[in-house]
Each structure stands twice: as structure tokens, then as C-alpha cells.
Amino acid sequence: MAEPGLAVRRKSRPSSVRKRSRASAQPSAVCSPVARKRPSSGGEGPPTETPCSNDSEEDMFGDYDSFCGNDSLLAQVDDMEHKYLQDKNMDIKAAEHIILWNPQSGIHQKKQDHFSTSESMVVLKTDKDDAFQMNENEPVDSNQESTESILDDLPSSQLLYFEKMDELSSGSRISLVSERRNKCVNSSSDKIRSPSSFCPDAEHRNKPADFSSDSKCDLLKTESLKDHLKSAMTGNAKAQTLQVSKTKQLKEAVLSEEICVAKKTIESSSVDIGPFYGLPSKVKELFRQFRGIETLYEWQHDCLMLESLQQRKNLIYSLPTSGGKTLVAEIIILQELLCRQKDVLMILPYVAIVQEKVRGLSSFGIELGFLVEEYAGSKGRFPPIKRRKKKSLYIATIEKGHALVNSLIETERIDDLGLVVVDELHMLGEGSRGATLEITLAKILYTSKNTQIIGMSATLNNVGDLQKFLQAEYYTNNFRPVELKEYVKIRDTIYAVDSKTENGFTFSRLLNFKYSSNLEKADPDHIIALVTEVIPKYSCLIFCPTKKNCENVASMVCKYLKKDFRAHREKEKQDLIKNLKNIGNGSVCPVLKQTIPFGIAYHHSGLTNDERRSIEEAYSTGVLCLLACTATLAAGVNLPARRVILRAPYVASDFLKKNQYKQMIGRAGRAGIDSAGESILIVQEKDKHLVQDLVNSPLENCYSNLLLELTKGMQSCLLSLVGLKIAVTHEEVNSFMCSTLLSVQQHLLFKEKSLSEIIKDGLENLIEKGLLKRRISEDHNSKCTLTITPLGKATYKGSIDLAYCNLLYRELKKGLEGLILESNLHLLYLATPYDMTSNCSPDWMIYLRQFNQLSAAEQKVADIVGVPESFITKKASGQAIRKNMDSAVVNRLYLSFVLYTLLKETNIWSVSEKFNMSRGYVQNLLNSAASFASCVLHFCEARAKQLYNAGYKTLAHLANANPETLVKMIEHLSRRQAKQIVSSAKMLLSEKAEALQEEVEELLKVPTDIPGTY
């Protein structure tokens, strides 16, 4: 590949001007700056790669007189030399006789092997108008203008030669221009007379040659000039590589070149996939380095080569669990980031999976130059920072992904999003989260025609509906890297699942394990018999219906295992217990302390994030061989096992769904380790018929939840459409809703009303709640448009559930009238999430004890929110209470006590013991409160922006404001609220000033322990 701006031209020249006779060979090609090629020694066959670098003392150019096998530079030097020789009336014929000497004499035999007999030459042209060209009819002695043209084209290393030319022509014929030639000439007259002194392979030549003294001098001059040029080039090359590694330079050049090639490949939609599916070869090396992936499965290659992907169409693909779906998505993501230079959003179902994916892809971002940003819990910036150079990969939960898309639409940056990848696409059918995901994808489809959507799942059934919704192509494959064998256990008999038989089961074997009467009572489901067939050599997962059941199973199994199990990787198990102890600040769960020495642990939401991560790592490395876990692990991190046991066909008290069953058994079989995976479902006789239906039934269909989840679904969608100005009339709203999954499935989901009527009812409901209002234009059309109220704007911007928006507004307004800032309790109460109150069951004795430990000002917070001391006292003593209390408020205050204690003590273990809660629940409360606080912040931003836009840009501005002026300038602000804002600002400013004053005094205080003072 020629450098930009360089033209390649060939021009014939007289044989008398040429300095070498050339053997027949292929013309030398102009080479790429990244990977240059050179002809083989024989001049035939495919070209071979030139070595990248050579730092040795040897000749860097070998038998070549110019770079890349191009002889044009020395040819120009030879022309200039002959011009000087002519000016001094030298004998040209003698020089020609020497240079065109018979190859058999040995002087240029080796060069003949590399150069063509073609009468053409290569001229590198740096400018279209001033290239140096030679014509057949031109005389050998070119004019001065031609000479200057040559000098303009030559690199600096060759210009050094011409600086010495005047000295050579005016001084002695044998003035030396290099240290090397000085040695050669002055050593002996024999060396000057001998042609072998100039020939690189002279030691193989024996035939003498007769020269005149002038001929010898001319030959010496020619050879010395070439040597000087080589020496100068070598010096320059070495000087350039003193500070920077040549290998590193070459790698960077290759990466840059391949990214450019990949961009062109993808932009042209060519079938040429480049080094690695349109990506730099470095990406393949990184997958090998970070993931241990050497090659892709055949289905992965087929999927990446789909015509629909080449044309940037939306795609849904479905494969069994552990089939390698995520790798395909990651390659597509890297193509978008590196080649198309667009941002990417990846939506995952759970916070833990988001965090795991952020950790996994951050190393790729560092190596390849893009940013990985986490949007989960309280993390994430809205709108995201607009980057000038680097592109961003946003990895988000469903809720955060929706908020991110809203912010991009609002700031008119949605087209910056080149790709959206949705993992677990079947989540569209799962409650309020499914409704939020549907709204997010519908907004992307409606507002951006350039954003590609990729959806993947292991459990999809009604794919046709999803294809219509996403306007997508579909790819599926039944590939599993490891064969899966499904079994069902009834009593002590194991049956293989076989859909071809009448009842769906065929007899496989009887359990071969001797049970004592005590063991039979402790383990009626024969779990010990099933696990001891595989552990500790292989790994095993036991899915249990509840968290408590997980702990009980783990304890029971280790009680009846032989002592030999303790010896397996004993030191590493002890290290794991020490690590868990450090995580718990000296405390470790008694159950884990008992089970880990046997290689057993439990895994559920009751563990803290750090504990869960340590246990997962220990299991992945084989330190732990058995995990008793809940169903959340099946949808979470990838922890495969040789055998998966389902303790019962239930999740909590609900019978197992086919999708859940498939996800759990999909964990059986580890690619590259196991030849097969096994799943065993333990069934009681009473559930036999239900299980037969379960294993033989198809996967559940995925249905829209926009109507079922009214406040988080349809109404939330309509509110944000108007707020973002995506649709502001009934007609535009109807048009948008036609692009949803609900529209595709409307004939299945509702028959009493049309979609248009449902939309109309939803808009009327929002107007009644004060979140939207109608505006009739004053022109002759009298067109009715919808606008959002300040409360409505705060609600959708804060991603607040519409069921709680009015309640939150009232509580914030009440807080504005009398917010107690003597402690953080009141603020914590306002940041306690509403959706956790329904699952809270207060321990009334603990409630009363915590209340009594509060200061008088803190107890006043309870009165303000509506939970008096008398109510807590009566509940703790078991007395009847006649007055009804709002249980949501009571529970919310109790949870705020937990957060307040955690804020003071910071130790999750001690707080969980104090409130008799699992440490995982306490941590989940903390994370939810952080996330909700972020929502409340955005909810309040509308008023903050009003103040900022009115000129009140700092706390000092507000503290010195006139309340009457505030009322006039800020819409919907009462006089009482204005006074409260000013007084609160004054209090905060005073506190800040006092804190700074204390800091100044502390800095100015003279230390009493200065060395050398007494």
C-alpha cells in the first residue's frame, strides 16, 4: 500500500544510463508501511515478509541499494554522479565497461538475482507537478533545473551525500567520505586493485580483472558513494529507535492500519471480514489472553457472517444456555465501537451481572481505547458525558438503560447510539421490568433509524411477535458445547426424560447407596447419594426453593460426608474462610464456617456482594465443589457444573415454569471440561403429573406487560412521550404505540376496547393526576396538544413510579416546611425506597429500642412523618390499636432506622444482627436507597433548574434572596416555600462557613509534638 500523497510511475531510460544489467525477475511492488514484502532470492514464487527490525551491527539493507527493493533512489544518485564525472572529462566508457561487466566475473552476480531486466524505473512522486522524470531522448548530462528537482525528492540521509560532492570534485579523486571506506582504501594498494574489496560475496570469486588506473578510481568512487549512503541510512535508522521500541511501533502501526481496513470493510458491507470479523487481529489476541478462547464455534461464525448483520438489520438469536451467545454480542459491540465509531448500550437484567460484565470488558476498553461505563444502582450520569474522541460502552440494568435512553432523546443525541444489545430478551414478558424494557426499545425504534438492536435469549417461544416488534431477522441453533442429559428422580428410581414415550419418562437406573435409618430420616430425598457420585472430583449445583432451604441442605450434606472430603485442597479452603472473615470485619457466617472445610457452601441474596463474589471464585477454581443455591443463580453469573440437582419443582411456593427449568438445567456441563452434563429433578409422587407436563411442554410465550403494569407500563410510557416531545398529540401518541409489542399482540391481550381507546383513557388519567395538561392552539386550526406539568416532568425525569409520585411530592413539600437537619435521619427517611416497604415486617421490640435511643430532635422526625411514640409502644407491648396507621409509612420509618444505624456503624454484620435481618438484605436496602436517592435528586432537579435559570446559581445567591422576588420569578412557588428556601440556604451556608472556620483554625494550630521542641 503506497503512502497517501505518493504516486508510483515507471519510465524507460537508455541502457547507457543504467548502472546494472539485471536478470529476469518480477518487478518490485511498492509495499505497505505496515507489512512490506520482498522478492525471493530466485526472483520467482510468492513474496516473503521483510524482517520488521534489525538492531544488529550488520548491514541493514543486505543486497538492496534502496528501501523495499526499490532501486530508484540509487539510480538517481548514479545519474548525479555521472554528471559530476562528465564535468571533469572523465572517461564514461571506462566506467560503463566496469559497471556492465560480465556477470560471470562476480562483481554484481548477487544483485542480478534480485532485480528485473526491465528498462523501467520507479519514481516516487511527492507532488504531481514537480516529479523527476527521465526521457529516452534526453542526454545523459541533465541541466541544473533537473538536478534541483532530484534533490527535492531525496530524503535527508541522501542529501548528506551531496553536501560532500563539491569537496570530492575539487579535491583529490580519492577523498574519503566515510570512515569505512577510509579503512578500505588506505589499508593496502592491493585492496584498491582488487575487485573483491567492493564485492559482498568476493570470497567466492577467483577470476582476476584488468583495470586501468582511471577505471579503478571510478569504481572506487561509485562503490564509496553507495557505502556512504548505506552508512548514513543505517545511522539515521538507529538514531530513530533509541527511545521507542521498534516492536511497539510496529504493533501500533498494525493496529491503526487494521482498524482503518476494518472501517472500510464494514462501511462497504463487503464479505471480506478482515483480520478478525472486521476487527484488528489484536482483538483475537485479547480474547485468547483474557478468555482463553482460541477459535469460535461454527454457529458463532455463521451468525457473525449473516447477511442481516452485514446490512445492519436488527437481529434476534436464540441458543441453549452455555452455547456462547455472549461472545457473538461482544464481537458485534467491538465492531460498533472501533470500526463505526459509535456508542453502544448493553442492557442486562441484574446489577450483579452488570458489575461482572463491566469487570470483564474494562480490560478490552483499556487495550482498544474505548470507555466502559456502569449504569446500575446509584451509578450513571444523565445525560452521559459527550466524548470528543473515545467512544463509550454503557452497561446498564433495564431501569438505568431506560433513563439513559430518555436523556439521549432529550438532548438530541440518540443517533450517537449505534447499537443496543439486550441480553435475556425474554424479560420483555416479566412484569414491570418487562414493561420498562419494551418502552425503552420502542423509543429507540421510533426516534432513531440508525440504531441497530440485537436481542438474545435461551428461552424464546413466540419469536414471530418479537420479530415484528423489533423489525428483526431471526437466527437459532440447538448447539450446546456439552451434551445435556435430563433425568427425573422419584423415590430411589431415576428416569430419563424422553419426549418420544407416552408418559415422557423411561427407566434409567436405581440409586446404589446404602442409607441407615437415621440418614434416611435426615435425607429422605437421597441428596447425599446424588452428590457423592460426582464430588469432590467434579462440581455440583443444588437449586433449592428458598434461602433457608439452601442453608439447611448445605449443613445436612456436610454432616454425613466422610472426613476424607476435608483433605481436598484443605489450605485453599482455610484461605477462603480467612478471606470471608476479613470481609465481615472478623465475623463469618457459622453455616459457611461449618460447610466450607468440606468444599460446600450456600449462595443466595442473603450474602453480601463481596461474600458472593468470593464464593463464586472459589467454586470456579474448584476449591468448592458443591453449591446449594436459589433460582437467581441460574439467571445470574455463569457457574456451570457437571451435575445440576433441582431440590423440588418450586421457586418459593410457585410451581416451576418451563423457562426457569431450562435456565437451571442449562448450567449442567462445562465446556472443555465435561464430556456431558446431567440434570436431576427430584419429584414427589403428588407432583408427578405436573412434572410430566413441565418437561414436555413448550416454552412460555412472551407477552407485553404495558397494560398489566399500569403505573409502570402504559401511563409511564405516555407521560415520558409527552415530556420528551416524542408525541404531543393524540395522533402522534397513537402512531408511537403502534410500534410497541402491545400493538403487535393487541388481538390476544384485549378485546373489549381498541388500542386507541386504551390510550385515550390513559391520557385522561394522567391529566386528572395533574401530570399532563391540554393546550389548545390559538390559530384557526384550534389544534389540541398535550404538555407536561412540572410534577409530571419531575416524575419521568426521576424515573419515579407513578403510584408514588404524588406521595413523594407531598413528603418533600412537608420536608421543605420543616426539614430537621440536626441529624441525617429525616433526609434518610426521604431517600428510603417505597418498593421495599411491602416486604418489611418490623420487630416491634427492636423498633421501640431503636426509637428510645434517638435524641429528642430525631424523635421529632417520627412525629412529623406520622408515627408517634405511643403507637410504637403499644405495638411492642401487644396492646390493641384503634386508630389505623399507614403501614407503608410505619415500615418506611423502620427501614430508615436501619439505614441510620448503618450510617453510624458502617458494619453490615453488626447492623444485620441488631435488626435481626440477613446481611444481604441490609446491603440490598443500602443499594436500593442509593438508587432511589438518585431518582429523588432528578425529581427535584426541575425546581433547582428553575432557580438556576432565574439567576440563583449558588447557595449564597439563595441565602441573600428576597422571598417576594422568588415568588414572582419562580412558577408555582408559594410565599411560604420561598421563605423556607431562603432560611434553609442561610442555615446551610452558616454550617459550611463554620466548618471551614474550624478547618482554618485546625490548620493554623501549632502542633505540640514538633521534633526537637520541649
Side-chain angles (χ1 to χ4, degrees):
M1 185 186 298
E3 289 271 55
L6 293 181
V8 179
R9 179 175 296 182
R10 292 189 178 275
K11 191 88 174 177
S12 60
R13 43 186 304 213
S15 60
S16 62
V17 179
R18 295 181 59 80
K19 298 298 176 183
R20 305 170 185 83
S21 63
R22 294 166 167 76
S24 177
Q26 295 293 331
S28 175
V30 178
C31 298
S32 161
V34 178
R36 303 187 182 279
K37 306 287 184 178
R38 64 186 290 182
S40 60
S41 59
E44 296 177 355
T48 57
E49 287 195 15
T50 305
C52 299
S53 62
N54 185 357
D55 293 331
S56 69
E57 294 299 322
E58 297 175 3
D59 187 348
M60 294 174 65
F61 309 104
D63 296 326
Y64 287 85
D65 283 338
S66 62
F67 295 107
C68 305
N70 181 351
D71 63 303
S72 61
L73 300 178
L74 278 181
Q76 294 175 38
V77 175
D78 290 341
D79 291 337
M80 290 305 301
E81 178 188 354
H82 277 275
K83 177 183 177 302
Y84 281 101
L85 293 175
Q86 281 182 339
D87 290 343
K88 298 299 179 180
N89 298 317
M90 291 188 67
D91 188 358
I92 301 299
K93 291 182 180 180
E96 285 180 3
H97 174 73
I98 296 170
I99 301 303
L100 299 176
W101 185 39
N102 191 314
Q104 296 300 323
S105 63
I107 294 180
H108 291 292
Q109 179 65 42
K110 195 167 186 179
K111 287 185 171 58
Q112 284 177 351
D113 294 338
H114 299 283
F115 296 105
S116 170
T117 55
S118 169
E119 288 299 318
S120 63
M121 67 173 284
V122 178
V123 178
L124 293 180
K125 183 177 177 185
T126 56
D127 191 278
K128 289 184 178 180
D129 299 323
D130 61 341
F132 172 66
Q133 303 178 22
M134 292 197 68
N135 193 292
E136 284 185 30
N137 300 323
E138 287 179 354
V140 175
D141 50 340
S142 305
N143 57 27
Q144 180 65 26
E145 185 179 346
S146 175
T147 304
E148 290 173 358
S149 176
I150 295 175
L151 294 176
D152 290 339
D153 281 348
L154 295 177
S156 57
S157 58
Q158 293 182 342
L159 290 175
L160 292 173
Y161 158 75
F162 289 107
E163 292 177 4
K164 299 289 184 180
M165 286 304 295
D166 289 336
E167 300 174 19
L168 292 171
S169 59
S170 61
S172 172
R173 286 287 168 211
I174 56 171
S175 294
L176 301 179
V177 294
S178 74
E179 188 174 320
R180 179 179 167 191
R181 293 306 303 153
N182 187 33
K183 221 181 220 184
C184 182
V185 174
N186 292 325
S187 60
S188 68
S189 59
D190 292 337
K191 285 186 179 179
I192 296 175
R193 286 192 296 269
S194 171
S196 66
S197 62
F198 320 117
C199 182
D201 52 353
E203 62 185 5
H204 302 292
R205 317 297 184 199
N206 298 315
K207 186 175 178 180
D210 294 330
F211 295 93
S212 66
S213 61
D214 286 343
S215 296
K216 294 174 187 175
C217 191
D218 292 343
L219 180 58
L220 170 61
K221 179 68 175 296
T222 301
E223 292 297 328
S224 67
L225 296 178
K226 293 173 188 174
D227 279 347
H228 171 71
L229 181 57
K230 285 185 181 181
S231 177
M233 287 180 174
T234 303
N236 285 351
K238 289 181 179 178
Q240 292 166 2
T241 58
L242 286 174
Q243 301 298 325
V244 184
S245 163
K246 289 184 180 180
T247 303
K248 185 177 179 182
Q249 282 183 326
L250 185 61
K251 282 184 178 178
E252 289 175 355
V254 169
L255 179 60
S256 176
E257 178 80 4
E258 288 181 348
I259 287 177
C260 291
V261 171
K263 281 184 189 176
K264 292 176 183 176
T265 298
I266 289 179
E267 285 169 4
S268 64
S269 298
S270 170
V271 294
D272 179 14
I273 60 173
F276 183 68
Y277 300 98
L279 289 165
S281 56
K282 183 175 182 179
V283 174
K284 186 175 182 179
E285 295 170 12
L286 293 176
F287 275 116
R288 183 186 298 115
Q289 179 183 343
F290 297 140
R291 306 282 179 80
I293 297 171
E294 296 286 343
T295 56
L296 270 63
Y297 297 129
E298 185 179 349
W299 83 262
Q300 291 172 327
H301 172 78
D302 293 343
C303 187
L304 288 167
M305 295 303 296
L306 287 174
E307 190 68 23
S308 55
L309 279 183
Q310 307 300 321
Q311 297 173 5
R312 284 186 58 74
K313 291 182 180 178
N314 296 342
L315 177 69
I316 300 170
Y317 64 98
S318 177
L319 280 97
T321 303
S322 304
K325 296 183 295 297
T326 306
L327 177 61
V328 171
E330 288 174 351
I331 291 174
I332 297 171
I333 286 170
L334 293 176
Q335 287 174 345
E336 196 69 29
L337 290 165
L338 300 180
C339 304
R340 296 189 184 93
Q341 292 291 301
K342 289 279 190 178
D343 295 330
V344 176
L345 169 61
M346 188 177 198
I347 298 177
L348 302 170
Y350 304 112
V351 174
I353 307 177
V354 169
Q355 292 170 341
E356 182 191 30
K357 188 58 65 180
V358 167
R359 289 193 299 271
L361 289 177
S362 292
S363 50
F364 283 85
I366 293 168
E367 292 290 335
L368 298 172
F370 62 87
L371 300 171
V372 179
E373 300 185 38
E374 180 180 343
Y375 279 76
S378 60
K379 293 185 179 179
R381 180 171 179 148
F382 304 100
I385 297 171
K386 188 174 178 65
R387 313 284 180 182
R388 191 166 59 88
K389 291 185 178 180
K390 290 189 175 183
K391 296 302 168 185
S392 293
L393 168 58
Y394 310 114
I395 304 180
T397 56
I398 292 170
E399 294 76 15
K400 287 289 184 176
H402 181 220
L404 177 65
V405 169
N406 281 347
S407 69
L408 291 173
I409 293 172
E410 186 177 27
T411 54
E412 299 181 350
R413 288 170 50 194
I414 190 63
D415 284 331
D416 291 347
L417 204 60
L419 175 68
V420 175
V421 174
V422 182
D423 195 8
E424 311 295 355
L425 188 63
H426 61 269
M427 290 287 290
L428 278 167
E430 297 190 12
S432 61
R433 307 193 77 215
T436 303
L437 180 57
E438 181 180 346
I439 296 169
T440 304
L441 295 175
K443 285 177 180 175
I444 294 167
L445 288 166
Y446 193 81
T447 59
S448 176
K449 304 304 178 187
N450 300 320
T451 304
Q452 185 182 19
I453 296 175
I454 305 290
M456 53 181 169
S457 174
T459 54
L460 288 178
N461 191 27
N462 56 332
V463 179
D465 289 350
L466 300 183
Q467 280 185 266
K468 288 178 185 177
F469 166 45
L470 296 177
Q471 304 157 32
E473 301 289 321
Y474 180 58
Y475 176 87
T476 187
N477 197 303
N478 291 323
F479 171 83
R480 275 192 108 256
V482 177
E483 181 189 1
L484 174 61
K485 298 176 181 177
E486 295 179 49
Y487 298 98
V488 169
K489 188 191 84 68
I490 303 173
R491 296 193 187 92
D492 61 349
T493 306
I494 295 179
Y495 300 90
V497 175
D498 187 356
S499 58
K500 296 176 184 177
T501 60
E502 186 177 346
N503 63 357
F505 302 145
T506 57
F507 174 81
S508 176
R509 64 187 175 94
L510 290 171
L511 276 178
N512 183 22
F513 190 88
K514 292 182 180 180
Y515 270 78
S516 64
S517 58
N518 289 338
L519 184 56
E520 188 75 38
K521 290 177 183 177
D523 182 24
D525 295 323
H526 308 106
I527 292 174
I528 293 174
L530 294 174
V531 300
T532 51
E533 289 178 346
V534 289
I535 66 168
K537 187 177 180 182
Y538 301 106
S539 57
C540 182
L541 293 175
I542 304 177
F543 285 103
C544 303
T546 65
K547 289 183 283 188
K548 189 63 178 174
N549 193 228
C550 291
E551 297 178 29
N552 291 341
V553 167
S555 297
M556 183 271 296
V557 171
C558 72
K559 274 182 186 176
Y560 294 97
L561 286 180
K562 296 178 181 178
K563 301 295 183 183
D564 298 347
F565 282 88
R566 298 177 67 98
H568 181 71
R569 302 181 74 164
E570 186 174 5
K571 184 181 183 304
E572 289 157 288
K573 292 172 188 173
Q574 292 302 319
D575 291 341
L576 174 59
I577 292 174
K578 287 179 185 176
N579 186 34
L580 291 173
K581 199 169 184 178
N582 291 334
I583 290 170
N585 291 324
S587 302
V588 63
C589 172
V591 176
L592 291 176
K593 195 172 183 180
Q594 174 197 2
T595 61
I596 286 176
F598 289 90
I600 300 169
Y602 65 85
H603 184 288
H604 57 60
S605 60
L607 295 168
T608 65
N609 292 340
D610 290 335
E611 287 175 327
R612 201 155 49 237
R613 199 171 297 125
S614 294
I615 288 171
E616 288 166 0
E617 187 179 334
Y619 176 82
S620 298
T621 55
V623 176
L624 297 177
C625 55
L626 174 64
L627 288 185
C629 52
T630 53
T632 52
L633 185 139
V637 292
N638 185 22
L639 294 176
R642 174 65 173 269
R643 176 176 289 179
V644 169
I645 300 170
L646 279 67
R647 174 73 176 74
Y650 291 91
V651 173
S653 57
D654 299 324
F655 194 78
L656 206 59
K657 294 178 181 178
K658 184 61 178 277
N659 289 349
Q660 294 170 324
Y661 172 71
K662 280 291 185 185
Q663 281 192 323
M664 290 181 190
I665 68 172
R667 295 300 180 197
R670 298 167 299 169
I673 300 175
D674 299 327
S675 57
E678 300 173 341
S679 71
I680 301 175
L681 172 57
I682 299 174
V683 181
Q684 305 302 321
E685 196 68 42
K686 63 183 179 67
D687 296 324
K688 183 177 178 180
H689 295 295
L690 291 174
V691 170
Q692 285 175 338
D693 294 338
L694 172 70
V695 297
N696 295 300
S697 63
L699 293 165
E700 289 87 6
N701 287 333
C702 183
Y703 293 117
S704 171
N705 279 272
L706 283 184
L707 285 184
L708 298 176
E709 298 291 334
L710 196 59
T711 57
K712 287 189 177 181
M714 176 64 82
Q715 290 185 6
S716 176
C717 177
L718 297 175
L719 180 67
S720 63
L721 288 181
V722 177
L724 294 167
K725 298 180 181 178
I726 296 172
V728 294
T729 66
H730 283 275
E731 294 76 17
E732 289 174 348
V733 172
N734 284 335
S735 174
F736 174 88
M737 293 305 295
C738 287
S739 65
T740 61
L741 180 61
L742 177 66
S743 173
V744 173
Q745 298 176 333
Q746 59 180 306
H747 61 286
L748 297 172
L749 300 179
F750 46 89
K751 296 177 182 177
E752 296 81 8
K753 290 184 177 181
S754 67
L755 180 59
S756 179
E757 289 174 322
I758 291 171
I759 293 169
K760 185 178 179 181
D761 291 346
L763 290 172
E764 291 294 334
N765 191 283
L766 291 173
I767 291 170
E768 288 176 14
K769 288 182 177 180
L771 301 173
L772 291 180
K773 61 184 178 182
R774 288 190 183 92
R775 180 194 295 166
I776 299 175
S777 58
E778 297 177 356
D779 57 15
H780 61 281
N781 292 327
S782 296
K783 190 176 182 181
C784 179
T785 59
L786 297 163
T787 60
I788 195 164
T789 64
L791 177 59
K793 189 173 184 179
T795 300
Y796 95 79
K797 280 206 155 195
S799 300
I800 303 295
D801 188 340
L802 269 62
Y804 304 124
C805 64
N806 281 301
L807 176 59
L808 177 62
Y809 178 66
R810 287 197 302 269
E811 290 188 333
L812 289 172
K813 194 173 179 181
K814 188 186 288 187
L816 190 62
E817 294 171 359
L819 187 65
I820 297 174
L821 296 174
E822 292 183 30
S823 75
N824 293 312
L825 181 60
H826 202 168
L827 290 172
L828 282 171
Y829 175 81
L830 294 174
T832 302
Y834 291 106
D835 55 3
M836 292 196 71
T837 58
S838 59
N839 298 324
C840 176
S841 299
D843 183 314
W844 295 106
M845 289 304 296
I846 295 174
Y847 208 147
L848 181 60
R849 191 184 309 126
Q850 291 299 316
F851 182 87
N852 290 332
Q853 291 175 3
L854 299 176
S855 66
E858 291 168 343
Q859 288 181 357
K860 192 178 177 182
V861 173
D863 288 329
I864 290 174
V865 301
V867 184
E869 181 182 4
S870 58
F871 171 78
I872 301 172
T873 305
K874 287 179 180 179
K875 289 293 286 186
S877 60
Q879 297 179 35
I881 299 174
R882 295 176 184 176
K883 185 180 178 181
N884 289 330
M885 294 290 297
D886 187 345
S887 61
V889 174
V890 174
N891 292 353
R892 195 171 180 221
L893 181 62
Y894 185 70
L895 292 176
S896 65
F897 283 177
V898 178
L899 290 170
Y900 189 46
T901 308
L902 187 61
L903 183 66
K904 292 188 291 185
E905 298 188 14
T906 70
N907 188 340
I908 289 177
W909 267 90
S910 62
V911 174
S912 64
E913 289 173 1
K914 190 170 287 185
F915 285 87
N916 196 24
M917 294 175 169
S918 72
R919 54 200 181 281
Y921 181 85
V922 173
Q923 187 172 61
N924 186 37
L925 172 63
L926 179 62
N927 293 335
S928 297
S931 181
F932 185 68
S934 174
C935 293
V936 173
L937 172 66
H938 292 296
F939 182 89
C940 299
E941 269 183 357
R943 175 56 52 81
K945 282 187 177 178
Q946 281 182 311
L947 293 168
Y948 186 87
N949 292 335
Y952 299 97
K953 298 184 178 181
T954 66
L955 200 59
H957 283 122
L958 284 173
N960 294 283
N962 185 337
E964 296 299 327
T965 308
L966 278 176
V967 171
K968 292 177 184 177
M969 297 184 71
I970 306 301
E971 188 182 3
H972 305 302
L973 184 68
S974 68
R975 187 170 282 100
R976 184 176 180 180
Q977 288 173 332
K979 289 179 179 178
Q980 188 66 39
I981 287 173
V982 172
S983 62
S984 296
K986 285 180 177 177
M987 187 195 306
L988 290 170
L989 195 64
S990 175
E991 288 177 358
K992 190 173 182 181
E994 288 175 7
L996 289 172
Q997 184 63 38
E998 289 177 6
E999 188 175 350
V1000 169
E1001 291 173 359
E1002 191 66 30
L1003 287 170
L1004 294 177
K1005 190 185 295 183
V1006 179
T1008 57
D1009 56 347
I1010 299 174
T1013 60
Y1014 301 98

